[in-house]
């Protein structure tokens, strides 16, 4: 790229903007600077010494490209922007993070980049490992877990898990946060750099960690497989599976890598195996693949050599710094522990003081209540004594009343006995009267029959007299009168004896009937008075005696069962 787009030829610097994983910075770059000069300026600004892992990346024609260090910045295909934007990222990944990463800044930048790749699903991670990694990320960000500070929901604004993991299970965001918080609480006492290192140790074992994928094909114009380059070697994958390689070439098994335009060739050391040839979509893709292969291979060889003096000094300084930080961390942890213990003791003393004050207050209240209770008990004792005297008097009166009632009950029983005797006598009289009534009724029936016969005889006689009167000849008035007078006298003299007996019998029956009615009315009056007297006695008998109440033996089952049926009789009128 030429520099004709620059506004002035005499301009000596231009602005660039470098974006790291946690910050942004604007720098001035000289026109004649190479990529190495700009890269070293960025590393010095960041305080980074392990520069061999990183590079400056920019986007050209939709493809991510690394800034070449040996070529001038303005002669590369950088975007025409003001300021020109670069991304400071890790280009090569270590095989063993705990041994190869020395500086804290290096470790922190790797931690941020790997975490972003996991969240963006560029690195596949299982749900269990994702939760564990998220707990270390929370420990690195928030420090030790404190339930008083880290209340439920404090992780709601943080991106902690890949979307694929969140969609894989039917769990709410709060449920995931609870799981992460449970793991986070177990990391108490781990410093930030240690938590980040633990995160990277887990991440480096993931299959897609540090892998750069490129679409390739074994025939021209047919990208059907993927080529992956990482710190361990070159791997061939199918497009459907980026985890398990179809074929792998370790760095110590590769003799040579060469390319010609779109064709790239990998020659193994073992002559028994044929060279692997493939094609990429563009020439610059092959150049990028070759560049990454050379860089990873160089790191592979460097790791297996003795460290240079500079690296040894850097590692020693890092060890001393880590030891110092560890001691400082232990000291701070001890001070924090002592402070927490002192705070707990203070809280315990305050709680104990409050408890003692509360106990003293309760004791005073109890003393006041006991004094009031004593006075109340004295008053109750006096009242109880008076009540006892009153009860004694009431008991004497109750005994007297009971004796009186016992005498009344005995008297009532005697009266009841006499009344029952009267009732039995009345029953006998009633039965006798009923029998007599039945006898008289039979007699009346016989008399009525005789009376009926007499009436029939009379009617026959009257018919005969009427017949005689109709057939006699007309007599003279004198003879008739004489005859009539003589007939009348003879009639009186010869009156039928049955008719006289009938009249006499009717008079006797009427007299007996009147006597019977009078006796029945007298008996009915006596029975009515007797019923009233019995009902009065029944009412008095239903009321329990004071004696039964005093002895507590009165109950509905103790009532006397009086059979008053025979006394309640109906009067028969004739």
């Amino acid at each position: 790229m030429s520099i004709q787009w620059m506004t002035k030829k005499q301009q000596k610097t231009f602005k660039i903007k470098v974006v790291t994983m946690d910050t942004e910075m604007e720098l001035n770059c000289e026109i004649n600077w190479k990529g190495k000069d700009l890269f070293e300026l960025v590393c010095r600004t960041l305080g980074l010494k392990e520069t061999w892992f990183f590079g400056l990346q920019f986007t050209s024609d939709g493809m991510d490209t690394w800034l070449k260090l040996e070529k001038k910045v303005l002669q590369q295909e950088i975007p025409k922007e003001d300021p020109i934007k670069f991304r400071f990222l890790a280009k090569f990944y270590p095989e063993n993070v705990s041994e190869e990463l020395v500086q804290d800044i290096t470790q922190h930048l790797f931690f941020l980049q790997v975490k972003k790749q996991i969240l963006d699903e560029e690195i596949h991670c299982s749900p269990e490992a994702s939760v564990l990694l998220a707990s270390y990320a929370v420990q690195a960000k928030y420090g030790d877990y404190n339930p008083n500070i880290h209340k439920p929901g404090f992780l709601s604004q943080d991106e902690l898990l890949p979307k694929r993991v969140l969609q894989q299970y039917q769990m709410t965001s709060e449920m995931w946060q609870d799981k992460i918080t449970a793991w986070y609480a177990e990391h108490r006492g781990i410093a930030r750099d240690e938590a980040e290192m633990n995160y990277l140790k887990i991440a480096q074992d993931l299959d897609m960690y540090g892998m750069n994928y490129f679409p390739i094909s074994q025939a021209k114009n047919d990208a059907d497989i993927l080529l992956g380059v990482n710190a361990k070697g070159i791997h061939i994958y199918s497009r459907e599976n980026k985890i398990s390689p179809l074929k792998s070439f370790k760095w110590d098994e590769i003799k040579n890598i060469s390319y010609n335009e779109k064709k790239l060739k990998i020659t193994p050391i073992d002559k028994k195996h044929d060279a692997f040839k493939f094609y990429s979509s563009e020439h610059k893709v092959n150049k990028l693949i070759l560049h990454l292969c050379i860089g990873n291979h160089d790191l592979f060889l460097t790791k297996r050599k003795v460290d240079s003096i500079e690296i040894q000094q850097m590692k020693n300084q890092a060890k001393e710094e880590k030891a110092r930080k560890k001691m400082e961390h232990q000291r701070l942890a001890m001070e924090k522990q002592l402070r927490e213990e002192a705070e707990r003791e203070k809280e315990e003393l305050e709680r104990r003081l409050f408890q003692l004050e509360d106990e003293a207050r309760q004791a005073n209240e109890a003393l006041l209540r006991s004094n009031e209770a004593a006075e109340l008990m004295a008053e109750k004792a006096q009242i109880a004594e008076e009540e006892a005297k009153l009860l004694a008097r009431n008991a004497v009166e109750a005994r007297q009343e009971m004796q009186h009632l016992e005498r009344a009950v005995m008297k009532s029983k005697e009266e009841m006995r006499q009344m029952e005797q009267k009732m039995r006598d009345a029953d006998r009289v009633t039965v006798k009267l009923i029998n007599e009534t039945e006898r008289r009724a039979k007699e009346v029936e016989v008399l009525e029959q005789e009376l009926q016969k007499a009436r029939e005889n009379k009617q026959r006689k009257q018919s005969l007299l009427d017949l005689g009167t109709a057939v006699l000849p007309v007599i003279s008035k004198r003879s008739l009168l004489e005859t009539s007078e003589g007939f009348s006298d003879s009639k009186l003299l010869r009156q039928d004896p049955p008719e006289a007996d009938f009249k006499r019998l009717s008079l006797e029956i009427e007299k007996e009937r009147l006597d019977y009615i009078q006796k029945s009315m007298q008996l009915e009056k006596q029975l009515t008075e007797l019923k009233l007297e019995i009902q009065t006695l029944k009412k008095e008998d239903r009321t329990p005696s004071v004696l039964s109440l005093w002895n507590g033996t009165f109950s509905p089952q103790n009532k006397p069962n009086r059979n008053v049926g025979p006394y309640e009789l109906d009067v028969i009128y004739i």
Side-chain angles (χ1 to χ4, degrees):
M1 176 183 176
S2 66
I3 60 173
Q4 294 179 358
W5 59 275
M6 302 295 293
T7 55
K8 294 181 181 179
K9 292 184 179 180
Q10 62 271 23
Q11 186 174 359
K12 295 183 179 180
T13 61
F14 58 93
K15 292 182 179 181
I16 64 167
K17 183 178 182 180
V18 180
V19 179
T20 67
M21 295 303 301
D22 59 349
T23 187
E24 295 181 359
M25 52 187 174
E26 291 188 358
L27 302 173
N28 291 323
C29 179
E30 295 183 6
I31 294 177
N32 296 324
W33 273 8
K34 294 182 178 180
K36 181 180 179 180
D37 299 324
L38 177 59
F39 179 72
E40 289 178 351
L41 175 63
V42 174
C43 291
R44 286 196 303 270
T45 305
L46 294 174
L48 181 67
K49 294 182 180 180
E50 297 174 278
T51 58
W52 49 86
F53 291 113
F54 298 90
L56 288 172
Q57 190 182 71
F58 61 91
T59 301
S60 175
D61 297 331
M63 180 178 176
D64 293 336
T65 307
W66 295 98
L67 184 68
K68 297 177 178 64
L69 300 182
E70 301 301 328
K71 192 174 181 180
K72 288 186 178 181
V73 175
L74 295 180
Q75 290 180 354
Q76 302 185 43
E77 297 178 356
I78 58 176
K80 296 179 181 181
E81 299 174 334
D82 187 22
I84 302 172
K85 293 181 181 179
F86 291 95
R87 296 181 296 276
F88 187 81
L89 299 172
K91 186 194 299 186
F92 308 106
Y93 291 77
E95 291 183 62
N96 191 331
V97 292
S98 60
E99 294 180 1
E100 298 180 46
L101 300 182
V102 179
Q103 284 186 291
D104 290 341
I105 181 63
T106 309
Q107 175 182 302
H108 183 62
L109 291 174
F110 265 102
F111 163 74
L112 295 176
Q113 186 166 335
V114 171
K115 186 179 78 168
K116 186 177 184 302
Q117 289 175 339
I118 291 176
L119 295 177
D120 293 343
E121 300 184 19
E122 296 177 9
I123 298 177
H124 177 79
C125 185
S126 65
E128 296 79 8
S130 298
V131 173
L132 181 58
L133 291 173
S135 66
Y136 279 116
V138 173
Q139 177 70 22
K141 181 177 180 180
Y142 293 101
D144 289 340
Y145 173 72
N146 187 345
N148 297 325
I149 299 175
H150 305 117
K151 301 291 180 64
F154 77 102
L155 297 176
S156 58
Q157 302 299 322
D158 294 328
E159 186 180 5
L160 301 171
L161 297 172
K163 292 181 179 179
R164 175 185 56 80
V165 174
L166 295 174
Q167 296 172 358
Q168 189 173 354
Y169 296 93
Q170 294 180 351
M171 295 175 61
T172 62
S173 177
E174 290 76 13
M175 296 169 69
W176 285 113
Q177 291 178 26
D178 293 341
K179 282 185 172 292
I180 294 172
T181 303
W183 283 97
Y184 164 47
E186 296 182 2
H187 302 329
R188 185 177 179 83
I190 298 179
R192 191 196 77 168
D193 56 345
E194 187 178 356
E196 293 178 350
M197 179 57 70
N198 290 337
Y199 188 101
L200 292 173
K201 284 180 180 179
I202 298 172
Q204 73 180 359
D205 294 330
L206 300 176
D207 294 315
M208 298 175 67
Y209 164 79
M211 190 73 69
N212 293 283
Y213 293 95
F214 300 94
I216 61 171
S217 63
Q218 291 182 305
K220 291 184 179 180
N221 302 323
D222 185 16
D224 56 349
I225 56 177
L226 295 174
L227 181 138
V229 181
N230 67 357
K232 295 180 180 180
I234 300 174
H235 312 276
I236 309 300
Y237 298 89
S238 65
R239 280 190 171 273
E240 293 77 17
N241 187 354
K242 293 183 178 181
I243 297 176
S244 300
L246 301 174
K247 192 173 184 179
S248 295
F249 301 93
K250 296 183 179 179
W251 293 121
D252 56 356
E253 298 175 355
I254 298 175
K255 180 180 180 181
N256 183 31
I257 300 174
S258 60
Y259 79 95
N260 181 12
E261 295 296 332
K262 296 181 180 181
K263 181 180 179 181
L264 196 142
K265 179 180 179 181
I266 301 174
T267 306
I269 295 176
D270 190 355
K271 294 181 180 181
K272 295 181 181 179
H273 296 86
D274 296 333
F276 182 78
K277 300 176 183 179
F278 58 89
Y279 297 88
S280 62
S281 59
E282 295 183 22
H283 172 67
K284 58 183 179 180
V285 174
N286 273 349
K287 292 175 65 176
L288 179 58
I289 293 173
L290 182 63
H291 176 67
L292 290 176
C293 289
I294 293 171
N296 279 293
H297 186 262
D298 290 343
L299 285 178
F300 176 80
L301 296 176
T302 301
K303 288 194 290 280
R304 283 149 181 81
K305 294 180 182 179
V306 179
D307 294 334
S308 64
I309 296 176
E310 182 181 0
I311 294 177
Q312 291 179 8
Q313 290 177 351
M314 190 177 4
K315 286 185 177 181
N316 291 332
Q317 291 176 359
K319 287 181 181 179
E320 293 175 359
E321 183 68 17
K322 286 184 178 179
R324 185 187 64 79
K325 285 185 176 181
K326 186 175 182 180
M327 293 179 63
E328 182 69 16
H329 182 265
Q330 291 177 352
R331 185 182 63 80
L332 292 175
M334 183 64 69
E335 290 179 356
K336 184 178 180 181
Q337 183 179 359
L338 293 174
R339 183 170 63 253
E340 290 177 352
E341 290 178 357
E343 289 177 355
R344 284 196 295 270
E345 290 178 358
K346 180 182 177 182
E347 291 176 357
E348 180 65 22
L349 290 174
E350 290 178 351
R351 186 187 65 78
R352 183 59 181 165
L353 178 61
F354 178 78
Q355 184 179 359
L356 291 174
E357 290 177 351
D358 187 56
E359 289 177 356
R361 179 179 57 79
Q362 292 178 359
N364 290 332
E365 292 177 355
L367 181 61
L368 292 174
R369 287 196 299 270
S370 62
N371 292 335
E372 293 175 356
E375 295 176 357
L376 183 61
M377 290 297 292
E379 293 177 0
K380 287 184 177 180
Q382 185 177 359
I383 294 172
E385 185 178 358
E386 294 176 356
E387 289 179 350
K389 293 179 180 178
L390 180 61
L391 287 174
R393 289 195 298 270
N394 291 340
V396 173
E397 293 176 358
R399 288 193 190 95
Q400 295 175 355
E401 183 67 20
M402 182 183 68
Q403 294 173 359
H404 175 71
L405 291 175
E406 286 178 352
R407 290 192 295 269
V409 168
M410 292 177 66
K411 184 178 180 181
S412 298
K413 287 182 178 180
E414 181 63 24
E415 292 176 352
M416 182 63 68
R417 188 184 60 78
Q418 295 176 0
M419 188 59 62
E420 289 176 354
Q421 183 62 34
K422 290 180 179 181
M423 290 297 295
R424 286 193 291 270
D425 295 341
D427 288 342
R428 286 192 296 269
V429 171
T430 303
V431 172
K432 184 178 180 181
L433 184 59
I434 291 172
N435 294 333
E436 182 67 20
T437 302
E438 292 176 353
R439 187 181 63 79
R440 291 296 181 90
K442 291 178 180 179
E443 292 178 355
V444 169
E445 185 178 356
V446 172
L447 292 176
E448 285 180 351
Q449 292 175 359
E450 293 177 356
L451 180 61
Q452 183 66 25
K453 290 179 180 180
R455 286 177 179 173
E456 291 175 356
N457 293 330
K458 183 179 179 180
Q459 289 178 358
R460 286 194 297 269
K461 289 179 181 181
Q462 185 66 33
S463 298
L464 292 174
L465 290 175
D466 292 339
L467 182 60
T469 303
V471 297
L472 285 178
V474 178
I475 313 171
S476 62
K477 184 175 180 180
R478 181 181 178 89
S479 298
L480 181 59
L481 290 173
E482 289 177 357
T483 304
S484 299
E485 289 176 0
F487 179 75
S488 297
D489 293 336
S490 62
K491 184 180 179 182
L492 289 173
L493 293 174
R494 291 179 301 170
Q495 192 174 11
D496 192 12
E499 185 176 355
D501 293 338
F502 175 75
K503 290 182 179 180
R504 180 181 57 80
L505 183 58
S506 297
L507 291 174
E508 290 179 359
I509 290 171
E510 183 67 20
K511 182 180 180 181
E512 288 181 0
R513 189 178 67 82
L514 293 175
D515 292 341
Y516 178 75
I517 290 173
Q518 186 176 3
K519 289 181 180 180
S520 296
M521 292 177 65
Q522 291 177 359
L523 183 59
E524 181 183 1
K525 184 177 180 182
Q526 291 176 0
L527 288 175
T528 304
E529 293 175 357
L530 187 59
K531 283 184 179 181
L532 292 174
E533 188 175 356
I534 290 172
Q535 289 177 358
T536 304
L537 291 175
K538 283 183 179 180
K539 291 180 180 180
E540 292 177 356
D541 189 53
R542 290 193 189 100
T543 305
S545 65
V546 175
L547 178 60
S548 63
L549 292 174
W550 180 267
N551 296 327
T553 59
F554 175 76
S555 64
Q557 290 78 7
N558 294 332
K559 288 184 179 181
N561 186 11
R562 299 185 182 275
N563 187 5
V564 295
Y567 307 148
E568 298 179 358
L569 301 174
D570 294 332
V571 179
I572 301 173
Y573 296 98
I574 299 176

